[in-house]
Amino acid sequence: MTNRTKDDIEVMPGQVWRDLDKRMHGRTRTVLAVVDGKAQMDGVPKTMVSVSRMHKSSTGWALVRDPG
């Protein structure tokens, strides 16, 4: 499994991503850890997202901010 998105963005802890699904009303989540192609994100409940889904689409994710 890779920790890179289809857009060749390396997913790493500290990044902030926006959920593009209309039902989520633009929520943002911060990546806590990335293991075996899955990103664990903060929030209640904590969310596990496959890195392969982290790209711009109607139900995908968009990078908001890189750490640092």
Side-chain angles (χ1 to χ4, degrees):
M1 289 272 149
T2 181
N3 294 341
R4 290 194 167 275
T5 67
K6 291 180 182 181
D7 299 322
D8 202 35
I9 299 170
E10 184 177 1
V11 179
M12 62 183 106
Q15 288 176 328
V16 177
W17 289 78
R18 174 171 287 113
D19 190 340
L20 299 177
D21 189 324
K22 290 181 196 176
R23 298 170 292 181
M24 296 299 123
H25 306 288
R27 76 174 176 172
T28 58
R29 294 287 191 240
T30 302
V31 176
L32 301 174
V34 183
V35 179
D36 295 329
K38 295 188 190 261
Q40 180 181 12
M41 299 188 172
D42 69 346
V44 177
K46 286 190 173 35
T47 305
M48 291 293 282
V49 177
S50 178
V51 171
S52 66
R53 284 195 57 236
M54 296 175 77
H55 58 90
K56 290 184 180 178
S57 73
S58 62
T59 58
W61 294 78
L63 181 63
V64 175
R65 185 178 47 213
D66 256 332

